[in-house]
Amino acid sequence: MVTKSLYQEVILDHNRKPRNYGKLDYASHHAVGHNPLCGDRLDITLQLENDQINNIAFEGESCAICKASASMMTAAVKGRSRLDAEILIHEFRELATGKLDIDHPHHLGRLTIFSGIRDLPTRVKCAILPWHTLQAALNSIDNASTENNDSAQAVSSKL
Ligand code: ZN
């Protein structure tokens, strides 16, 4: 059970001290994500070596939910394999849209604080944007938008 105060505390913490904030000097993959409904814009750079995410960073202008989600996402996938990251992307998307049964085994850990977002339809895209942008970066798609899902859907159907 996720309490409202825990949710607020985690969102605030990641906005005060965003993890992996900035831009990598050397990045093998890069994508810019845009959520026109809220005005969120994210720039994600990452370094993929032997199918492992050695380093990842994000920067941009976004609301608190988007920034916290991006910060937690970078912490969750850094050092993980590309496959692990793709599983997390899939699970987070299911969580945020209310399709994931969090009582069944999953890999989201503390990211489940976003489970309440499904009741806030206008904020779902804010929370998903960083994951959507990560997926675009991993697939070498430079631009991702929550309002143009053609490329992302082609990718997610492979999961
Ligand atoms: Zn937003």
PDB file of all heavy atoms in Angstrom, residues 38 40 63 123 126, ligand 1:
ATOM      1  N   CYS A  38       1.649  18.732 -21.024  1.00  0.00           N
ATOM      2  CA  CYS A  38       2.097  19.394 -19.792  1.00  0.00           C
ATOM      3  C   CYS A  38       3.225  20.378 -20.072  1.00  0.00           C
ATOM      4  O   CYS A  38       3.434  21.321 -19.320  1.00  0.00           O
ATOM      5  CB  CYS A  38       2.552  18.331 -18.796  1.00  0.00           C
ATOM      6  SG  CYS A  38       3.272  18.953 -17.286  1.00  0.00           S
ATOM      7  N   ASP A  40       6.365  19.117 -20.624  1.00  0.00           N
ATOM      8  CA  ASP A  40       7.598  18.454 -20.192  1.00  0.00           C
ATOM      9  C   ASP A  40       8.506  18.210 -21.390  1.00  0.00           C
ATOM     10  O   ASP A  40       8.051  17.758 -22.441  1.00  0.00           O
ATOM     11  CB  ASP A  40       7.292  17.077 -19.573  1.00  0.00           C
ATOM     12  CG  ASP A  40       6.298  17.150 -18.433  1.00  0.00           C
ATOM     13  OD1 ASP A  40       6.503  17.995 -17.553  1.00  0.00           O
ATOM     14  OD2 ASP A  40       5.349  16.357 -18.431  1.00  0.00           O
ATOM     15  N   CYS A  63       7.685  19.055 -15.093  1.00  0.00           N
ATOM     16  CA  CYS A  63       6.976  19.184 -13.821  1.00  0.00           C
ATOM     17  C   CYS A  63       7.594  18.220 -12.799  1.00  0.00           C
ATOM     18  O   CYS A  63       8.450  17.395 -13.138  1.00  0.00           O
ATOM     19  CB  CYS A  63       5.494  18.880 -14.020  1.00  0.00           C
ATOM     20  SG  CYS A  63       5.159  17.177 -14.471  1.00  0.00           S
ATOM     21  N   ARG A 123      -1.763  13.171 -15.535  1.00  0.00           N
ATOM     22  CA  ARG A 123      -0.370  13.075 -15.101  1.00  0.00           C
ATOM     23  C   ARG A 123       0.317  11.787 -15.533  1.00  0.00           C
ATOM     24  O   ARG A 123       1.518  11.635 -15.368  1.00  0.00           O
ATOM     25  CB  ARG A 123      -0.263  13.192 -13.569  1.00  0.00           C
ATOM     26  CG  ARG A 123      -1.036  14.324 -12.952  1.00  0.00           C
ATOM     27  CD  ARG A 123      -0.947  15.632 -13.750  1.00  0.00           C
ATOM     28  NE  ARG A 123       0.385  16.197 -13.876  1.00  0.00           N
ATOM     29  CZ  ARG A 123       0.925  17.024 -12.991  1.00  0.00           C
ATOM     30  NH1 ARG A 123       0.278  17.367 -11.925  1.00  0.00           N
ATOM     31  NH2 ARG A 123       2.141  17.511 -13.188  1.00  0.00           N
ATOM     32  N   CYS A 126       3.102  12.414 -17.852  1.00  0.00           N
ATOM     33  CA  CYS A 126       4.254  13.047 -17.185  1.00  0.00           C
ATOM     34  C   CYS A 126       5.161  11.971 -16.600  1.00  0.00           C
ATOM     35  O   CYS A 126       6.380  12.028 -16.708  1.00  0.00           O
ATOM     36  CB  CYS A 126       3.791  13.965 -16.061  1.00  0.00           C
ATOM     37  SG  CYS A 126       2.737  15.311 -16.613  1.00  0.00           S
TER      38      CYS A 126
HETATM   39 ZN    ZN B   1       4.334  17.004 -16.560  1.00  0.00          ZN
END
